[in-house]
Amino acid sequence: MAKPVVDIFIPCFIDQLFPETAWSMVKLLEALGCTVKYNTNQTCCGQPAFNAGFQKECRQVADKFLDDFSSEESDYIVAPSASCVGMIRNAYADMFVTSSNFVKYRTMERKVFELTEFLTDVLQVTSIPGARLPAKVTYHDACSALRECGIKEGPRQLLGMVEGLTLTEMRETETCCGFGGTFAVKFDAISVAMAEQKVENALATGAEYIVSTDTSCLMHLQAYIKHNNKPIKVMHIADVLTQGW
């Protein structure tokens, strides 16, 4: 059977601040039998402009994304960010619905997956050989993953495949962490209070790490943790699944 060819999309947050997470995803996909491709022309999905109300500018970015990821040579497009995948599946659908590129968009959109759903739903992974993290972790349901992509059980199933890892659920795991892109800038006091609540719920479990699918959430929580010297760390699930290699 031919190896699935995966075109990876690396979101802005990961490209600029957490490049090691991108490498973790590449290592993981290759170890699970995929041929990984990276189009160096890629930029952004357009979500920051969209959320700030710059519809025209966002459409220009979306058009470029469509051009960059419409190759017939790839079977799938995978991103380590449910936030970006949700943008592509939902906002793009509205933007392209009256466009002559709508069919092209739909063809591309059917190939787009967030990393954990690709592993569980497409590759149907049942084990990750070598994955080992002897630690207690708790999982944060990122809003985009849960509400836009319907991702809930998959990440937990994957964490269960990591040797030595103990997963414990925190209270209000489905509650927002308070980031929300520009929300954290415009309503900083509310944003920080939400981060505090999330971190305190995580600490109450005795976990050493907060794990999630989205670096934007983790970046926000990490900032609160660092500023307040809280005894817990954050880790993207791609980095967890490649621990011990």
Side-chain angles (χ1 to χ4, degrees):
M1 181 181 293
K3 290 183 177 182
V5 178
V6 175
D7 221 348
I8 59 170
F9 171 57
I10 306 302
C12 306
F13 274 112
I14 292 179
D15 179 53
Q16 297 296 315
L17 300 173
F18 306 97
E20 66 279 2
T21 297
W23 284 112
S24 292
M25 181 176 72
V26 171
K27 291 191 297 182
L28 183 59
L29 291 173
E30 289 182 340
L32 294 172
C34 298
T35 297
V36 177
K37 294 176 57 184
Y38 176 73
N39 183 348
T40 57
N41 290 324
Q42 65 181 266
T43 53
C44 177
C45 68
Q47 186 177 180
F50 180 81
N51 289 342
F54 293 96
Q55 302 293 316
K56 179 181 178 181
E57 290 80 1
C58 177
R59 176 58 188 272
Q60 293 173 344
V61 177
D63 284 335
K64 184 179 188 308
F65 186 98
L66 186 59
D67 289 338
D68 290 341
F69 288 95
S70 291
S71 171
E72 296 181 359
E73 296 178 3
S74 61
D75 301 309
Y76 303 100
I77 302 160
V78 178
S81 167
S83 178
C84 295
V85 171
M87 174 72 185
I88 295 161
R89 288 179 178 169
N90 300 299
Y92 277 24
D94 292 335
M95 280 190 283
F96 285 110
V97 69
T98 58
S99 166
S100 59
N101 280 330
F102 184 69
V103 173
K104 182 180 179 181
Y105 158 71
R106 289 294 294 162
T107 300
M108 182 274 294
E109 185 268 339
R110 283 191 287 267
K111 298 161 63 175
V112 176
F113 291 89
E114 182 273 333
L115 175 62
T116 63
E117 66 175 351
F118 179 70
L119 298 181
T120 58
D121 299 354
V122 179
L123 296 185
Q124 298 184 339
V125 170
T126 57
S127 66
I128 304 176
R132 185 175 187 275
L133 179 64
K136 189 174 185 180
V137 310
T138 191
Y139 180 77
H140 161 60
D141 286 288
C143 292
S144 295
L146 183 67
R147 296 172 176 84
E148 292 191 63
C149 300
I151 297 169
K152 176 70 176 180
E153 296 304 325
R156 291 169 168 83
Q157 292 172 11
L158 293 167
L159 291 173
M161 300 174 195
V162 180
E163 181 185 350
L165 184 148
T166 300
L167 174 63
T168 179
E169 295 289 350
M170 73 174 100
R171 290 179 60 251
E172 301 178 340
T173 184
E174 296 184 357
T175 300
C176 178
C177 70
F179 179 60
T182 54
F183 176 86
V185 178
K186 294 180 179 180
F187 304 97
D188 59 312
I190 299 174
S191 176
V192 171
M194 294 173 74
E196 178 183 17
Q197 181 184 49
K198 178 65 65 172
V199 171
E200 290 302 322
N201 284 338
L203 286 168
T205 69
E208 300 167 67
Y209 296 94
I210 301 173
V211 177
S212 188
T213 54
D214 282 66
T215 52
S216 51
C217 297
L218 296 174
M219 179 189 68
H220 180 58
L221 295 175
Q222 183 182 52
Y224 175 82
I225 290 167
K226 183 177 180 180
H227 183 75
N228 293 279
N229 296 312
K230 296 295 183 177
I232 196 168
K233 301 176 183 178
V234 302
M235 188 178 291
H236 190 280
I237 193 167
D239 298 312
V240 174
L241 298 178
T242 52
Q243 290 293 304
W245 290 14

